[in-house]
Each structure stands twice: as C-alpha cells, then as structure tokens.
Amino acid sequence: MKNFWISCIIVFSWLGAVSAQQRPVLLPAPQSIYYGQGELPVQNLTVYVPSNATADVVFALSQLRKLLAERSGKPVLVSPSATASTIRYSVKSAGQELPGTNEATNGNTREHYTLTITQKGIDITAQTSTGLYYAVQTIRQLIQGEGTKASLPLVTISDQPKLAYRGVMMDFAHGGLLTVDEIKKQIDFLARWKTNQYYFYNEVSIQLDGYSTLNYKANYSQAQIKTIIAYARERHMDVIPFVNFYGHLHELIRNEKYASLAIGHYGHEMDPRNPAVQTLLKNWIKQYTTLFQSPFIHVGFDETWETKRLAGSSPTKLDPESLYIQQLSFVSNEFKQYGKTLLAWTDMNAFYPNILAKFPKDVIPVIWEYSPDTTAINNYLNPVLKEKKPFFIQPAVSGWGHIYPSANYTYENINLCLKAGLQHNTLGFITSVWTDSVEPFVRASWLFMAYGCIAAWQGTVPDKTTFAGHYSAVVYPALAQDMQAAFDHIATAGQYLEKCLGKNTQSLPRGTLVESWSNPFSAYYLANTNEHKADFEQVRTHTEEAQARLISALQAASPADTSFIQSMLVSARLINYSASRFLWAKAITDRWNDGMMAQKKDDYVFYDLTYPCHSLLVDAMDETGELKQAYAQAWLSENMPYRLNTMLGRFDVDFGLWRKLHLKLLDYKIQKKTEPLKSFELLFTPDF
C-alpha cells in the first residue's frame, strides 16, 4: 500500500509539471503520445544532410529547417556529421513515396514514424520518407512560442494512420477553375493533415491533344497538370485522375462536332452502342494514362439518368442497366492494358439492385452518400457487402448549395460515413468538395476538408463542438480567437438562413443559394420574410460579428493568410446580403404602405426611400455594387476568370432592381400623380 501511494504521488507530480506547460493541439491526434518534463529550445538546432540523401529525404528535411527557422527567427545550421547533429533521423526503406495498390493489405506501415524529443535533440525513425515527412508535420504543430522563446515539449510519439487511403476529391468541372497557385496552396494545406490522395475531378477541363476547341481557355494545360502532380508528389500526395467516361459529359456533347456521340440531344451521356464513342475513349484513356502516373483512376459512372429517362420513350428499346455494364466493362478493359486500378461509384444500385454483381471483377466500388443519415448510407453499403467487394467510402462537404458549408450537416455526414466504413473495413476515405452552384469560394470548405482528412488518419472524427477552436489554434495561432469566432458565427448564420430559404434548391440538397437571388418583392417572399424576419435578422447579426472578427484578424495576419481571410470576409458579406435584400424589400414595402396608405400622406417616405446619400434604396445599390467589386477580387485571388462574369451578372441584375425602383419613385414624385394610391407592390411592380 505504501508503494501504491508513492506511485500516485510521482504520477500526480508528473502530471502537474506537464499541465503547467500548455500542451499543443495535434491534428490529427497521434496513435500514442507520452509527454515528459521540460522543453527543448528551437534555436541552435542543427541537422546533418548527407551528400547521397535522396530527393524525398532532402525535401522533408528542408521543410523541417524552414518551419523551425520561421518560428525561431534563426536558420537551422547544417551539421558536419550525423553524430554532431541535434536533429537525427533514420529512414528504413527507400522509395515508396506514394501509396500503392496494396497499401491497405500490406500492414499499412509505409507511413509509420516515431518521434522522440529530449534535451539532447530530436530523433525520428521512419519506415519511409513519407513517415519522415509526416513527422515533420507533427513537429510543426508541437512548436510553442516565437523567436528565442520557441521550444518543443519533451515527448515520445508513435504514429501511423488508421486508413491506408485518405483523399480529397476536388471538383474542377462544375464551378470555377482554381489557379495552379491555389491548387498548390490547397495541396500544402492538405499535406498538414497527412492526406495522401488528391482526386482531380474533371470532365473536359484538362487539355487533350486533338481537342483544342473543347473548353478553350477554360481548362488546364498538360504542362500545368504535370506541375501539380510533381508538387503533390513531393508532399507524398498522389494526384489521381477522376474522369467520367459515361455520363456528365454535357460540355463535350453540347458541341455539334460531338453531339452524335450522345444518348439524347445535347444531353449528358455517351451512347455505348456508338463505335465512335469507343474510338474517342480509347484516345482519351491513352492520353490520361500517359499524363497521370497514379496506379488508380476514378471513372465516376454515376447519375446516368438520361439513359434511364429515354428508355421508355425511345423508338429503339434501351436497357439502361446493360448499357451501363457494357460501357463500364469496355472502359475497365481498356485501362487494364495500362495497369490501372479503377474506382467507380455505386449509386446506380438504387435503380438496378443487382448491378454490383455485374461489375467487372477488378473495379473497386466507391460508396458516396452526402447526408447525415445512417439508413441512406447503408442502402448503398449493403449491396457492396453482399458482393463481398473491397470498397472506398466518400462523404462530402455540404457546400454546393450554400455560400458557406452547412457545418453540422457536414460534420455528421463525415462522422457516419467514417463509422460505417471502419466497421466494414473500408480501404479508404475520400472527402468530396463539389462546386455545382459555382458562386461559393472553395476556401470556405477548407476547415471541413481538414476535418475529413484528420478523421481518416486517426480513425475517429474530432469533437465537432471544439473543432473550429482547435483548428484555428493550429492554423492561425496568432489569430486563433478571432478566427474561431468568425467560423462559429458564419456557421450559425448559415443555420438561421436555412430556416428562411431552401424550399427551391434546384437539385442542390438543402441549398439556400437558389432562393437567395429570388425577387424579394414577390408576394411569396414578402410573406416569407414576414414569417422569418427574426431569423433573417439573426443572419445579419452573426455575419456582422464574423466580419468584425475577420477584420480584426486581418490587422494581425501574415501575408500568407491575408488572401484566405479576405475570402472568408467576402463570404460573410455574401451571407449577410442574402438576408439583407429580403429585409430591405420588406422595409421598403412597409415604409410606403404605412406612410402613404395606412396614414395620411407622408412626404418623408420619398426621403427615406430615395434620398441620394442616405436611403433604403441607395443603401441597397451601394452594398450591391461594393460587394460585386469585393467578390470579383476574391474570385480572382482563387480562380481563373472563367465563369466570373456569370457570377457578377447576379449583382448586376440585383443592382438593376434597386435602381429601377429608385427611378420609378422619383418619377412618381415629380409627376405628382393624382390617381388613388395603391400598395407599393401594385403601384411599382418591383421585378428584375
């Protein structure tokens, strides 16, 4: 008993010493971690880089030297020998920088590393250079303080991922096209969370030889793609082509030259019965396999709804299920010649319950489900389990119908997909980022992309209630409080906006974007605003607070963070505008109806609505014009110009609405019309 109490005293003394130093937040959490007492100063660390070190090892060490120098303000000197160095490392196996096709079945040790920090320095033991690079990412988060106070806690970490394949799918087909520099920033960002796959979703946005007019100046050159692949490889991330080879090819088929390849007229799906389709795809497959070195390719094969729709109306009887399997088998056989492993979605199982049994043997099914609904996930999962097929699972950031992703919806979708996948031994986890509605900035999805990647590494999702705070502490240590508050306020504003809008989503589930640009003076929306006035006001309250926090963050932000914070600031303003335009319409209508009809004629109504510098209609014009300019700047900081004018046109139409009403009111006052007064809606017929 005496020894027991002595042990307790020692343990509690040790815990007290550790708690006296604030432990850093580590995302993802390591598999095991043990803290000791004390700290290691970052200044004066040295590292030995042998002349025969491979490029991947040199890169990892250069990244380590860079981040240590940034925090300490002093360069990390090169040591003359390994024994004299205070940063020591060991890489057991050469090569294997990227995941192979057997990653999930070979023990998954390629990315394993151990990290020990003592008063004598840093020791890293890694299975491969990938583990060394991931140890560097962990050290990045362990550093505390700046300058001479920069230090590392004494700690021992052993870590490797729960899942072998941890990817993000980025949509380069539906929305704007990110600049190459932005893609590199995104890859750097994802590498911090130890992501090892980057799915490049493309329909016709990569230049192919022989197709010069296809999306001219709205695509990536092959040279740019090679640059992206090489950049990602340095960071141990495999860039995987994701190309639909059946449906979702409207941008091809809408051209007269290729219209005859389609089922339907100017439709979406290729016709597997047409020999010219096979000729085209053989050419594409050869070009894609030459351009991308990844052993994987995701071929989509989802949502072939047009074929199903035409099956009953076509003069020639169609069997959509047989056509689907015919096309998938052809594509699979072609890629097999190039040694590629195919992934394909399974959503067609909802229409054809036995289709998975007919999948080509080597095609890996990918289950996608974007709702926080276990039943919905199991509807796609159970057929895969029935066929005993290895599979991937793919949730999504719910941002395609909102300016800022629906936070809780996204967290729960990722959580349930991860649980279902791990329960049934999924090979990998892919977090989707779709851009169907074009308008939102992709940067608004970064926090949620990190959430998915972190969850896939550690095998559990972070606590959603504290994640924004922990994330902000890691990514924006000097701005953490402001950034956390901004993220939280924007997410809350989105929840209030969802109470007001979302009945018409134009196939964007639960989306608020479609209705946010509707005519706010229509009878339906005026009644809706009356019903949800308090909710719209909450949207404005929270987005105004988010703007204040983001402006505060900008004042202390590093140049590297400024552009991102500006994008978030514009996003907050856009959400605010979505609510404001409806509240303005109600205020304008009420002001006229109360002041000119319910009471005696009130000459101040015209002042309130039309005065050149301070009035409701001028306020609306000012904000619409200013926001248009800010939006354009933020768009071009992230995207190519492609589709920008389509987005700016929304602001132009809205400005026209406010301006027309302004002129109509002025004209009414000038003419001093004497006919009986009518309501604002009837008298001025507000419309675009």
Side-chain angles (χ1 to χ4, degrees):
M1 181 62 71
K2 181 180 178 181
N3 290 336
F4 168 79
W5 287 111
I6 292 173
S7 298
C8 288
I9 292 169
I10 292 172
V11 169
F12 282 113
S13 298
W14 177 79
L15 288 173
V18 173
S19 62
Q21 308 165 14
Q22 185 177 359
R23 290 182 179 180
V25 176
L26 297 182
L27 298 174
Q31 192 176 76
S32 69
I33 180 167
Y34 300 96
Y35 283 98
Q37 297 184 46
E39 57 188 30
L40 173 69
V42 169
Q43 284 196 347
N44 302 321
L45 288 173
T46 61
V47 65
Y48 173 67
V49 184
S51 58
N52 62 347
T54 57
D56 47 335
V57 169
V58 171
F59 181 79
L61 295 176
S62 68
Q63 292 286 294
L64 178 58
R65 294 177 65 191
K66 178 181 177 182
L67 68 91
L68 291 173
E70 287 174 349
R71 292 296 291 270
S72 71
K74 187 175 180 180
V76 177
L77 300 178
V78 175
S79 178
S81 68
T83 55
S85 176
T86 54
I87 300 174
R88 299 167 290 273
Y89 64 92
S90 170
V91 175
K92 296 179 180 179
S93 302
Q96 305 175 64
E97 296 101 319
L98 299 177
T101 55
N102 65 341
E103 190 84 0
T105 57
N106 65 359
N108 194 21
T109 60
R110 182 183 66 89
E111 297 169 310
H112 177 263
Y113 69 91
T114 59
L115 169 65
T116 303
I117 301 175
T118 68
Q119 296 286 7
K120 295 181 180 180
I122 300 172
D123 289 279
I124 303 169
T125 300
Q127 186 66 33
T128 66
S129 62
T130 306
L132 175 64
Y133 180 78
Y134 289 157
V136 171
Q137 299 310 310
T138 300
I139 292 170
R140 175 203 291 269
Q141 296 182 17
L142 285 168
I143 304 173
Q144 303 284 281
E146 303 279 346
T148 57
K149 295 182 179 180
S151 66
L152 289 160
L154 305 190
V155 69
T156 299
I157 292 173
S158 178
D159 201 13
Q160 69 182 61
K162 184 70 173 179
L163 287 175
Y165 303 107
R166 308 170 307 282
V168 164
M169 187 225 76
M170 189 62 236
D171 179 5
F172 294 98
H174 297 103
L177 296 178
L178 301 178
T179 66
V180 173
D181 282 345
E182 182 69 14
I183 294 171
K184 288 179 177 180
K185 290 177 185 176
Q186 206 177 80
I187 289 169
D188 279 324
F189 173 79
L190 294 173
R192 297 178 69 166
W193 322 116
K194 305 177 173 72
T195 308
N196 64 11
Q197 291 183 326
Y198 188 78
Y199 290 82
F200 199 104
Y201 181 85
N202 149 66
E203 291 166 6
V204 293
S205 51
I206 295 177
Q207 286 182 9
L208 295 178
D209 295 337
Y211 299 87
S212 60
T213 61
L214 199 57
N215 271 35
Y216 178 61
K217 289 194 174 181
N219 53 27
Y220 298 93
S221 70
Q222 294 193 27
Q224 288 175 317
I225 295 297
K226 289 176 182 177
T227 297
I228 293 165
I229 292 170
Y231 192 86
R233 185 184 183 90
E234 283 185 321
R235 289 147 183 84
H236 301 273
M237 202 177 303
D238 186 20
V239 179
I240 298 173
F242 191 151
V243 193
N244 260 296
F245 284 94
Y246 190 6
H248 289 286
L249 286 170
H250 176 71
E251 277 67 31
L252 171 75
I253 294 165
R254 70 185 179 187
N255 292 274
E256 206 61 42
K257 183 176 182 179
Y258 305 110
S260 62
L261 301 179
I263 287 179
H265 194 59
Y266 303 141
H268 300 273
E269 289 135 46
M270 290 182 169
D271 188 345
R273 302 165 301 176
N274 187 339
V277 168
Q278 294 191 1
T279 300
L280 179 141
L281 289 183
K282 284 182 178 181
N283 178 278
W284 281 19
I285 288 168
K286 183 177 181 180
Q287 292 200 52
Y288 277 113
T289 52
T290 301
L291 182 58
F292 290 89
Q293 289 80 52
S294 174
F296 296 100
I297 183 166
H298 198 318
V299 294
F301 271 74
D302 67 314
E303 299 177 344
T304 53
W305 296 327
E306 190 168 24
T307 304
K308 189 174 187 300
R309 176 179 64 82
L310 294 174
S313 59
S314 174
T316 305
K317 185 178 180 181
L318 296 178
D319 182 347
E321 184 177 7
S322 295
L323 288 176
Y324 182 99
I325 294 300
Q326 176 185 335
Q327 183 78 341
L328 182 59
S329 298
F330 165 73
V331 169
S332 174
N333 288 333
E334 283 299 309
F335 274 110
K336 195 176 294 184
Q337 298 178 39
Y338 298 94
K340 300 295 184 181
T341 297
L342 266 64
L343 287 75
W345 276 321
T346 65
D347 60 300
M348 296 310 292
N349 182 80
F351 300 107
Y352 314 109
N354 297 315
I355 199 168
L356 276 168
K358 303 173 184 178
F359 262 44
K361 180 182 177 182
D362 297 329
V363 174
I364 299 175
V366 181
I367 300 161
W368 68 261
E369 176 51 52
Y370 302 154
S371 71
D373 183 342
T374 304
T375 301
I377 293 167
N378 287 336
N379 285 340
Y380 288 123
L381 178 60
N382 289 336
V384 174
L385 299 178
K386 178 183 175 183
E387 296 302 322
K388 299 180 179 179
K389 289 181 175 290
F391 68 95
F392 280 63
I393 196 161
Q394 187 168 351
V397 179
S398 181
W400 51 84
H402 307 275
I403 290 295
Y404 186 78
S406 184
N408 192 62
Y409 192 92
T410 297
Y411 288 144
E412 284 303 307
N413 173 229
I414 289 172
N415 181 23
L416 293 179
C417 281
L418 183 68
K419 285 181 178 178
L422 289 173
Q423 183 181 354
H424 298 287
N425 300 314
T426 183
L427 297 176
F429 194 78
I430 307 168
T431 302
S432 308
V433 180
W434 292 107
T435 60
D436 296 52
S437 51
V438 188
E439 184 180 335
F441 302 123
V442 172
R443 289 172 181 170
S445 293
W446 278 29
L447 177 143
F448 305 97
M449 293 156 66
Y451 189 84
C453 296
I454 290 163
W457 176 280
Q458 63 189 31
T460 57
V461 294
D463 178 0
K464 65 182 181 181
T465 64
T466 59
F467 180 66
H470 289 162
Y471 170 88
S472 298
V474 170
V475 181
Y476 309 102
L479 318 170
Q481 289 187 344
D482 280 331
M483 294 304 295
Q484 176 189 352
F487 288 132
D488 288 343
H489 279 293
I490 294 175
T492 302
Q495 291 175 349
Y496 277 106
L497 195 62
E498 287 180 37
K499 293 181 180 181
C500 308
L501 306 174
K503 290 183 176 64
N504 175 13
T505 65
Q506 200 175 345
S507 299
L508 301 172
R510 303 176 64 258
T512 55
L513 264 176
V514 175
E515 287 189 275
S516 70
W517 292 99
S518 300
N519 182 356
F521 291 96
S522 72
Y524 171 82
Y525 283 109
L526 284 173
N528 186 65
T529 303
N530 275 322
E531 180 183 353
H532 292 289
K533 179 174 178 289
D535 295 319
F536 277 126
E537 288 171 346
Q538 284 293 328
V539 173
R540 280 164 51 94
T541 296
H542 283 283
T543 50
E544 286 169 9
E545 184 60 31
Q547 290 176 64
R549 291 304 194 110
L550 290 165
I551 291 168
S552 173
L554 278 173
Q555 294 170 354
S558 67
D561 292 330
T562 297
S563 181
F564 177 89
I565 297 171
Q566 287 281 13
S567 291
M568 291 298 298
L569 181 58
V570 175
S571 295
R573 290 182 65 185
L574 281 167
I575 299 169
N576 184 285
Y577 183 76
S578 295
S580 295
R581 60 195 300 280
F582 290 102
L583 291 172
W584 284 331
K586 173 177 167 51
I588 291 165
T589 303
D590 288 350
R591 186 69 186 89
W592 176 273
N593 294 345
D594 292 343
M596 300 295 284
M597 296 184 66
Q599 303 174 22
K600 292 182 179 180
K601 185 176 179 182
D602 180 356
D603 288 336
Y604 286 103
V605 169
F606 293 97
Y607 177 89
D608 290 344
L609 297 184
T610 66
Y611 195 68
C613 58
H614 298 298
S615 61
L616 286 168
L617 283 167
V618 172
D619 289 345
M621 284 188 281
D622 285 345
E623 179 60 15
T624 307
E626 291 298 318
L627 188 52
K628 174 187 174 182
Q629 185 178 34
Y631 181 86
Q633 291 172 348
W635 175 282
L636 292 173
S637 75
E638 180 174 322
N639 297 298
M640 301 180 193
Y642 174 58
R643 286 198 171 132
L644 174 58
N645 283 333
T646 302
M647 295 300 103
L648 296 183
R650 302 183 183 195
F651 298 95
D652 293 336
V653 170
D654 249 31
F655 185 90
L657 173 64
W658 309 122
R659 179 59 176 159
K660 282 196 298 182
L661 288 175
H662 191 260
L663 292 173
K664 283 183 177 182
L665 279 158
L666 290 176
D667 184 60
Y668 185 93
K669 184 178 181 182
I670 290 168
Q671 294 186 39
K672 298 181 179 179
K673 295 181 178 180
T674 59
E675 69 267 19
L677 283 170
K678 298 178 182 178
S679 69
F680 186 87
E681 307 95 294
L682 291 175
L683 189 59
F684 297 107
T685 59
D687 206 348
F688 297 117

